[in-house]
Amino acid sequence: MLASRFSRRVLILIGLGVTFPALLLAGLGAFLTRGVSQALDAQTDRYHLYMAQQTVAGFERELLAHLRERIAPAENAARSGDDLSVRAMLEAAAAPDEPAAFVSLAQITDYYLLLVESTPLVYQSGAEDARGRRFAGLMLRDRTGQVIGAGGWWIEPGVFVSQHLQAVVEERIVGDERMYGGIESRRQVSLAALAPDGITIASVRTPGSNPHPVEVAMEGPFEGYRIRATASTSAPIGSTKRLITLNLAFIGVMVAVLLVATFFGLRYTVRQIELARIKSSFLSNVSHELKTPIALIRLAVETLEMGRVQSPEDRDKFLRRISRETVRLNQLVENILDFARLEAGQRTFRFQDVDVAEMVRETVDSYRLRIEDQGFTLTLDLPHDLPHVRGDGPALAQCLLNLLDNAVKYSRDRKEIRVVGVVRENLVGISVADRGIGIAPRDQRKIFEKFVRLEDGLVHDVKGAGLGLSLVRQIVRAHSGRVEVASVPNEGSTFTLWIPRAAGSAATVTSEAPTGS
Ligand code: ADP
């Protein structure tokens, strides 16, 4: 009770004092790291948007400059007011793949105007010629300053964009090397021009793996085209993101290690507490086990001394009780001493040829006397030529005694015990079967551990130190053998000692070990 309250307190202390604050800190670390990552992404997105917008605006200015350069002779001709000479000038300044065109004032309403640096740029929206070219030109005025028409060329937007992207990015975008606190510079942004079908037609620098591309659509003569800005492979944002991912992974590993360590720490603590509880109950069990026979012997001796027992039968009964309790006391003391020797590694075995049948018969016969007045029937079934084993006879007898003792202790009304000798391959088996309370399957391994006593009702009432089976297992293992249990709750249990038979000891009998009930 005290131990379980104590163990609960230790668990709460570990939970509240170590695990909870550590998990809280790890959570805070992850939260802050995520916050930094999101702020960085937002900053990068803004910067990329700025770069893409600047590139788009740069294209309009590039187109204006391109037209201005070549339209000057046509402007001069326009001042003379002669349409034909305007056309001639335009054609003279046209490149072979950009046919010149003159749009008269009457047609100009079908065209769109785009103001670039206060200069109206004329273009025909959506209308393309057979080769997908679009018209782009400038206003032409006469001597009085009146607009008389527009002159320009049919250009292919895709070709123009792909040819001029590098120049636009390098020359026309603000050349501020360090922006937004120096996180990114112009050189670390990749810019790509995309055609209306999504295909990249030109790019400046290789884009990095940062999953935050920003796109801006182009308008006017370049309608349908888009500029995409992404961090380039050499951008510090890439390595910063990698660091953030690493940081989050590190926090994850830390949390996993902490949880595993807490789990093992708690398991260890609970085991230690359980061990302490078992040890203290062992001490009280042992002292009870020692005191009871001593008290009974003392009472019987005193009664005899005072001469209160008259009839020889009663005297015999008292003497038998003294003898039984002495044997019980002796067995307990032997168990404790043996256990202490085994634990200290000081228990030595004197191996010699042991006639198992003989040893079993003697032990069972001596035991039969002790339990006959308790109403038990003890049957012995040994094959006549059970092979000898190599072992320590008294130690093996002690194992058998412990099994018999348990069979008696853990039987209720059906007081039947059966001892059987069997041979399986090169092993000799001695089994003790009872029809007692049995053992649940989940407990069948546990009972061989030291100090373990199951908490069933009957076990509570029966005395014991929880050493017997642990001792049996250790002794049998020292003989290179093993002990097995087969049991059904409320039906009974069968414990079998399997010992390798002595070399040269011929076995002629082969039978199966009996089962639990
Ligand atoms: P002890 O008998 O002194 O408690 P043991 O090591 O001999 O210690 O046995 C450990 C536990 O195994 C017992 O407390 C009991 O719960 C269980 N046990 C042992 N033998 C039997 C049996 N024949 N039938 C039912 N339960 C048994």
Side-chain angles (χ1 to χ4, degrees):
M1 182 71 178
L2 191 75
S4 76
R5 212 184 307 142
F6 174 69
S7 69
R8 215 176 303 137
R9 230 181 272 164
V10 169
L11 299 188
I12 292 172
L13 209 74
I14 293 178
L16 289 184
V18 183
T19 319
F20 185 64
L23 286 179
L24 210 70
L25 281 179
L28 193 69
F31 177 74
L32 290 179
T33 311
R34 225 180 119 247
V36 169
S37 168
Q38 279 172 349
L40 200 68
D41 285 343
Q43 196 78 304
T44 311
D45 287 352
R46 261 168 54 201
Y47 181 53
H48 288 166
L49 183 67
Y50 169 81
M51 294 299 282
Q53 282 169 341
Q54 289 298 304
T55 311
V56 166
F59 266 107
E60 287 163 359
R61 290 197 295 273
E62 183 74 19
L63 182 62
L64 185 66
H66 177 81
L67 291 173
R68 252 198 203 132
E69 247 172 50
R70 292 155 68 193
I71 214 155
E75 266 179 346
N76 287 335
R79 274 194 276 279
S80 71
D82 174 10
D83 279 10
L84 283 176
S85 55
V86 172
R87 282 177 211 274
M89 287 304 160
L90 282 172
E91 271 157 21
D97 54 343
E98 284 178 8
F102 175 72
V103 180
S104 69
L105 188 60
Q107 284 175 282
I108 219 135
T109 44
D110 293 339
Y111 288 78
Y112 287 85
L113 293 179
L114 187 72
L115 270 184
V116 181
E117 290 170 358
S118 321
T119 308
L121 207 78
V122 184
Y123 68 96
Q124 206 174 6
S125 172
E128 295 171 352
D129 74 356
R131 287 175 52 196
R133 297 177 303 184
R134 289 185 196 157
F135 177 77
L138 287 176
M139 296 288 198
L140 297 177
R141 295 162 199 273
D142 64 10
R143 200 177 297 120
T144 61
Q146 279 291 308
V147 174
I148 56 151
W153 289 269
W154 287 95
I155 59 163
E156 284 185 45
V159 173
F160 188 89
V161 167
S162 60
Q163 277 177 356
H164 292 84
L165 182 67
Q166 183 81 32
V168 165
V169 171
E170 296 304 328
E171 291 164 23
R172 302 197 182 248
I173 290 181
V174 191
D176 192 346
E177 280 306 310
R178 290 274 158 201
M179 306 183 78
Y180 293 104
I183 295 173
E184 292 293 14
S185 81
R186 193 179 71 179
R187 291 208 200 101
Q188 282 151 350
V189 179
S190 142
L191 287 148
L194 310 182
D197 56 9
I199 289 174
T200 303
I201 50 175
S203 68
V204 174
R205 287 180 285 275
T206 324
S209 54
N210 180 5
H212 280 274
V214 172
E215 284 183 12
V216 169
M218 294 173 82
E219 287 173 352
F222 306 113
E223 203 179 348
Y225 289 81
R226 282 168 296 145
I227 294 296
R228 175 186 285 172
T230 332
S232 75
T233 36
S234 61
I237 181 76
S239 38
T240 313
K241 290 288 281 182
R242 270 194 295 280
L243 269 179
I244 286 172
T245 314
L246 219 68
N247 200 7
L248 282 173
F250 180 67
I251 290 173
V253 170
M254 253 172 47
V255 167
V257 168
L258 180 79
L259 288 177
V260 170
T262 308
F263 171 74
F264 282 109
L266 285 180
R267 212 170 67 162
Y268 177 76
T269 314
V270 168
R271 271 195 189 157
Q272 290 303 311
I273 291 169
E274 180 68 2
L275 208 65
R277 191 187 63 75
I278 285 175
K279 274 184 182 164
S280 87
S281 80
F282 164 71
L283 277 181
S284 79
N285 282 341
V286 165
S287 58
H288 182 81
E289 276 275 84
L290 289 171
K291 276 183 188 162
T292 314
I294 291 172
L296 286 173
I297 292 167
R298 225 177 77 193
L299 191 73
V301 170
E302 277 173 11
T303 315
L304 287 174
E305 261 177 3
M306 283 189 275
R308 284 202 194 141
V309 183
Q310 300 298 331
S311 70
E313 293 84 42
D314 284 350
R315 197 174 303 120
D316 276 359
K317 219 167 95 187
F318 272 85
L319 286 174
R320 268 211 307 280
R321 184 179 297 166
I322 291 171
S323 155
R324 199 170 58 221
E325 294 304 325
T326 316
V327 170
R328 186 171 145 196
L329 202 56
N330 184 52
Q331 198 183 330
L332 178 68
V333 171
E334 289 229 331
N335 268 357
I336 294 173
L337 290 179
D338 254 0
F339 177 76
R341 277 189 223 116
L342 277 165
E343 286 286 290
Q346 288 168 354
R347 171 74 153 97
T348 46
F349 294 96
R350 287 189 30 220
F351 285 92
Q352 52 197 6
D353 196 76
V354 178
D355 181 347
V356 186
E358 174 86 13
M359 181 275 286
V360 172
R361 214 168 284 123
E362 275 177 15
T363 311
V364 166
D365 284 346
S366 75
Y367 201 77
R368 196 195 307 275
L369 293 175
R370 285 162 54 191
I371 58 166
E372 62 189 3
D373 52 350
Q374 293 176 44
F376 277 92
T377 57
L378 181 50
T379 52
L380 179 61
D381 182 1
L382 289 176
H384 65 278
D385 47 1
L386 200 64
H388 289 198
V389 300
R390 188 147 181 84
D392 184 320
L396 292 176
Q398 193 187 353
C399 290
L400 183 56
L401 266 179
N402 271 311
L403 295 185
L404 287 168
D405 221 32
N406 281 347
V408 169
K409 282 199 295 188
Y410 303 112
S411 288
R412 279 199 180 102
D413 312 331
R414 287 179 298 174
K415 300 187 172 190
E416 298 160 29
I417 301 173
R418 196 162 164 248
V419 179
V420 179
V422 287
V423 178
R424 191 194 286 168
E425 292 163 5
N426 67 334
L427 295 172
V428 177
I430 318 286
S431 66
V432 177
D434 62 53
R435 309 204 62 196
I437 59 170
I439 303 154
R442 66 168 187 283
D443 294 327
Q444 290 179 8
R445 276 170 74 95
K446 218 159 65 177
I447 51 172
F448 293 99
E449 281 166 28
K450 57 191 173 191
F451 310 133
V452 167
R453 305 201 73 221
L454 302 178
E455 297 290 320
D456 299 358
L458 186 58
V459 179
H460 254 312
D461 309 338
V462 173
K463 287 137 224 108
L467 286 183
L469 288 180
S470 138
L471 209 67
V472 168
R473 185 169 68 173
Q474 296 202 54
I475 293 173
V476 168
R477 277 186 180 169
H479 284 73
S480 308
R482 62 175 192 272
V483 52
E484 278 177 2
V485 61
S487 182
V488 178
N490 298 321
E491 290 289 324
S493 314
T494 301
F495 286 84
T496 310
L497 307 171
W498 291 105
I499 311 289
R501 69 165 184 242
S505 172
T508 48
V509 182
T510 303
S511 58
E512 283 304 307
T515 50
S517 51

